[in-house]
Amino acid sequence: MEYSSPVCHSPHALCSSPVKKKLLLLSIMFLVWVYMLYSCVGYCSTMPSLVVDGYRGRETGAAVAKRTESGGTDLVSRLMSKPQPWEDIESDYEEPSIRTAASRDLLDDELDADRGDETWDEVRGAEQQQRAPEPSAMSSFSNGSGSKKMPQAIIIGVKKGGTRALLEFLRVHPDIRAVGAEPHFFDRNYDNGLEWYRELMPKTLEGQITMEKTPSYFVTREAPARISAMSRDTKLIVVVRDPVTRAISDYTQTLSKKPDIPSFESLTFKNRTTGLIDTSWSAIQIGIYAKHLDNWLQYFPMEQILFVSGERLISDPAGELGRVQDFLGLKRIITDKHFYFNQTKGFPCLKKAEGSSKPHCLGKTKGRTHPNIDPEVVQRLRDFYRPFNMKFYQMTGHNFGWD
């Protein structure tokens, strides 16, 4: 029997040579690899690209249209058109840098915003050191960190009336974003321009209210016209307090920083013998509320101004905060459950401060012990303020019970 090696009689015949089998297997594997690469490229072309230097911005409208017509999905447009679940998270991430600085100045008594002698540059520098980290690429992509707006509501006064307490209580509300320190824009920094002012504001989302407080606005003659020029719809809040008690508190604050100043009695009168009150002294002048309010009513209707009782802010903080929330058009979220009365300090504190799990009280500059004032001087001041108080009650339609 004869044996012979296989012979291919045709170029199209499948030969059983091991070499040819290996070549066939490699060819098949190569085809599979090419197919998989093609499929991957086709899929990846529909994904959003976070490429630096704005590649997305350079893509032409024709290219986008062609890709859409070919069945691709413009995923970037689809994502941006829908509210993203991280929007609220990003806004809360941005805000604490501002709020933490404000809380620290309150607790450590480094920035007593009611002092009136604090320059905004010093305050601003402290806040800049506490600036939040730069937003991540995902944050920028979602655009969920909000935007800076002019304040829709301003606490305009009065000094030593309880403005700091009101602001800190309001910051508990999730729909309120406020500057911690006093901008003093409409009295001291107006020449810096509105864009400078806007940059001081925290970022807010749709439906949130931007606020600031500067108590000296109420007694600044130019402030009403300037705020009206910014927006006639601005809501104004004034915290008022018995003008006699307020004047003594004002003096007490100054005395804590300048122990060598004259006595309260000597500053109160132009002439102690005649009993003529010195209205040029700011501690006395601020309490003539009717005079200052008349200036504001030249530019704002009464319904745009809310008067908060400094006394009731201590005795019934939840009740006063309820009025403020109604005035701002917000849901009453801040209630009795947020407060407890601190017997040592003599005023209410927050059970849980914004951004903290610990109770929060105003700093040691609040609740100072007043010096003993001659009762005769106190009575003369009450007699002096009485007609102005009556006029103020008439203008506001509210009796604050100071007499």
Short mmCIF file of all heavy atoms in Angstrom, two decimals, residues 8 54 59 66 98 106 115 120 127 139 149 161 209 228 241 271 294 311 328 373 391 394:
data_model
loop_
_atom_site.label_atom_id
_atom_site.label_comp_id
_atom_site.label_asym_id
_atom_site.label_seq_id
_atom_site.Cartn_x
_atom_site.Cartn_y
_atom_site.Cartn_z
N CYS A 8 -2.95 20.04 -2.68
CA CYS A 8 -4.08 20.93 -2.97
C CYS A 8 -4.17 21.07 -4.48
O CYS A 8 -3.25 21.58 -5.11
CB CYS A 8 -3.87 22.30 -2.35
SG CYS A 8 -3.92 22.29 -0.54
N GLY A 54 -12.59 73.77 26.69
CA GLY A 54 -13.89 74.02 26.08
C GLY A 54 -14.12 73.33 24.77
O GLY A 54 -14.63 73.92 23.83
N GLU A 59 -17.52 72.69 19.41
CA GLU A 59 -18.22 71.80 18.50
C GLU A 59 -19.28 72.59 17.74
O GLU A 59 -20.06 73.33 18.33
CB GLU A 59 -18.89 70.67 19.29
CG GLU A 59 -19.52 69.61 18.40
CD GLU A 59 -20.08 68.47 19.23
OE1 GLU A 59 -20.26 68.63 20.43
OE2 GLU A 59 -20.34 67.42 18.62
N LYS A 66 -25.92 66.76 13.11
CA LYS A 66 -25.65 65.53 12.36
C LYS A 66 -25.63 64.33 13.29
O LYS A 66 -26.18 63.28 12.99
CB LYS A 66 -24.31 65.67 11.62
CG LYS A 66 -23.95 64.46 10.78
CD LYS A 66 -22.66 64.72 10.04
CE LYS A 66 -22.27 63.51 9.19
NZ LYS A 66 -21.02 63.74 8.45
N ILE A 98 -19.13 80.67 54.28
CA ILE A 98 -19.55 81.99 54.71
C ILE A 98 -20.15 81.90 56.10
O ILE A 98 -19.87 82.66 56.99
CB ILE A 98 -20.57 82.58 53.72
CG1 ILE A 98 -19.94 82.69 52.33
CG2 ILE A 98 -21.07 83.93 54.19
CD1 ILE A 98 -20.89 83.07 51.24
N LEU A 106 -19.13 85.14 66.02
CA LEU A 106 -20.14 85.31 67.06
C LEU A 106 -19.72 84.59 68.32
O LEU A 106 -19.82 85.13 69.42
CB LEU A 106 -21.47 84.74 66.56
CG LEU A 106 -22.72 85.29 67.25
CD1 LEU A 106 -22.87 86.78 66.98
CD2 LEU A 106 -23.94 84.55 66.74
N ARG A 115 -20.78 96.54 66.30
CA ARG A 115 -19.91 97.53 66.90
C ARG A 115 -19.93 98.87 66.17
O ARG A 115 -19.78 99.90 66.77
CB ARG A 115 -18.47 96.99 66.97
CG ARG A 115 -18.32 95.95 68.05
CD ARG A 115 -16.89 95.52 68.19
NE ARG A 115 -16.44 94.78 67.04
CZ ARG A 115 -15.27 94.17 66.99
NH1 ARG A 115 -14.45 94.24 68.00
NH2 ARG A 115 -14.91 93.49 65.92
N TRP A 120 -15.16 97.07 56.96
CA TRP A 120 -15.55 95.91 56.15
C TRP A 120 -14.33 95.21 55.57
O TRP A 120 -14.34 93.99 55.37
CB TRP A 120 -16.50 96.34 55.03
CG TRP A 120 -16.81 95.21 54.12
CD1 TRP A 120 -16.43 95.04 52.84
CD2 TRP A 120 -17.56 94.03 54.47
NE1 TRP A 120 -16.89 93.85 52.36
CE2 TRP A 120 -17.58 93.21 53.33
CE3 TRP A 120 -18.21 93.59 55.61
CZ2 TRP A 120 -18.24 91.99 53.30
CZ3 TRP A 120 -18.85 92.36 55.58
CH2 TRP A 120 -18.86 91.60 54.44
N GLU A 127 -13.24 86.56 56.05
CA GLU A 127 -14.10 85.62 55.33
C GLU A 127 -13.35 84.97 54.17
O GLU A 127 -13.54 83.80 53.87
CB GLU A 127 -15.34 86.35 54.80
CG GLU A 127 -16.35 86.67 55.88
CD GLU A 127 -17.70 87.03 55.31
OE1 GLU A 127 -17.80 87.12 54.07
OE2 GLU A 127 -18.63 87.20 56.09
N SER A 139 -19.46 69.67 39.86
CA SER A 139 -20.24 70.81 40.31
C SER A 139 -20.43 71.81 39.19
O SER A 139 -21.52 72.31 38.95
CB SER A 139 -19.55 71.48 41.50
OG SER A 139 -20.16 72.70 41.82
N LYS A 149 -27.04 87.14 43.97
CA LYS A 149 -28.09 88.10 43.65
C LYS A 149 -28.08 89.25 44.65
O LYS A 149 -27.56 89.11 45.75
CB LYS A 149 -29.47 87.42 43.67
CG LYS A 149 -29.62 86.23 42.74
CD LYS A 149 -31.02 85.64 42.87
CE LYS A 149 -31.20 84.41 41.97
NZ LYS A 149 -30.39 83.27 42.42
N GLY A 161 -30.55 96.84 68.96
CA GLY A 161 -31.97 96.48 69.07
C GLY A 161 -32.21 94.98 69.08
O GLY A 161 -33.26 94.52 69.51
N ILE A 209 -33.96 83.25 49.46
CA ILE A 209 -33.89 84.69 49.66
C ILE A 209 -32.49 85.09 50.11
O ILE A 209 -31.92 84.47 51.01
CB ILE A 209 -34.93 85.16 50.70
CG1 ILE A 209 -36.35 84.98 50.14
CG2 ILE A 209 -34.69 86.61 51.10
CD1 ILE A 209 -37.44 85.35 51.13
N SER A 228 -33.68 102.06 47.28
CA SER A 228 -34.77 102.14 46.31
C SER A 228 -34.25 102.13 44.88
O SER A 228 -34.86 101.53 43.99
CB SER A 228 -35.58 103.42 46.56
OG SER A 228 -36.61 103.56 45.62
N ARG A 241 -36.44 98.74 69.84
CA ARG A 241 -36.36 98.44 71.27
C ARG A 241 -36.63 99.72 72.05
O ARG A 241 -36.41 100.82 71.53
CB ARG A 241 -34.95 97.92 71.56
CG ARG A 241 -34.63 97.51 72.97
CD ARG A 241 -33.16 97.13 73.03
NE ARG A 241 -32.74 96.63 74.33
CZ ARG A 241 -31.48 96.35 74.65
NH1 ARG A 241 -30.53 96.52 73.74
NH2 ARG A 241 -31.17 95.89 75.85
N ASN A 271 -27.20 120.51 79.09
CA ASN A 271 -27.09 121.25 80.35
C ASN A 271 -27.91 120.51 81.39
O ASN A 271 -29.13 120.44 81.30
CB ASN A 271 -27.61 122.69 80.19
CG ASN A 271 -27.35 123.54 81.41
OD1 ASN A 271 -27.64 123.16 82.54
ND2 ASN A 271 -26.81 124.74 81.17
N ASP A 294 -39.77 108.52 58.97
CA ASP A 294 -40.33 109.49 58.02
C ASP A 294 -39.47 109.58 56.76
O ASP A 294 -39.98 109.72 55.64
CB ASP A 294 -40.45 110.86 58.69
CG ASP A 294 -41.22 111.85 57.84
OD1 ASP A 294 -42.39 111.56 57.51
OD2 ASP A 294 -40.66 112.91 57.48
N GLU A 311 -37.91 93.45 72.43
CA GLU A 311 -38.32 92.84 73.69
C GLU A 311 -38.96 91.48 73.46
O GLU A 311 -38.67 90.51 74.16
CB GLU A 311 -39.29 93.76 74.44
CG GLU A 311 -38.66 95.01 75.06
CD GLU A 311 -38.46 96.15 74.06
OE1 GLU A 311 -39.00 96.07 72.93
OE2 GLU A 311 -37.76 97.12 74.39
N LEU A 328 -41.69 87.59 54.77
CA LEU A 328 -40.81 87.22 53.67
C LEU A 328 -41.45 86.23 52.70
O LEU A 328 -40.85 85.86 51.70
CB LEU A 328 -39.51 86.63 54.22
CG LEU A 328 -38.63 87.57 55.05
CD1 LEU A 328 -37.44 86.81 55.64
CD2 LEU A 328 -38.15 88.75 54.22
N ILE A 373 -27.68 103.71 86.26
CA ILE A 373 -27.94 105.07 85.79
C ILE A 373 -28.87 105.77 86.77
O ILE A 373 -29.83 105.16 87.27
CB ILE A 373 -28.57 105.06 84.38
CG1 ILE A 373 -27.71 104.23 83.41
CG2 ILE A 373 -28.75 106.48 83.86
CD1 ILE A 373 -26.32 104.75 83.18
N LYS A 391 -45.81 109.11 68.29
CA LYS A 391 -45.84 109.34 66.84
C LYS A 391 -45.45 108.06 66.10
O LYS A 391 -46.06 107.71 65.07
CB LYS A 391 -44.86 110.48 66.49
CG LYS A 391 -44.75 110.77 65.00
CD LYS A 391 -46.06 111.30 64.43
CE LYS A 391 -45.90 111.72 62.98
NZ LYS A 391 -47.19 112.16 62.38
N GLN A 394 -48.24 105.61 66.08
CA GLN A 394 -49.27 106.06 65.13
C GLN A 394 -48.86 105.73 63.69
O GLN A 394 -49.67 105.27 62.89
CB GLN A 394 -49.49 107.56 65.29
CG GLN A 394 -50.64 108.11 64.48
CD GLN A 394 -50.82 109.61 64.70
OE1 GLN A 394 -49.83 110.34 64.87
NE2 GLN A 394 -52.05 110.08 64.73
#
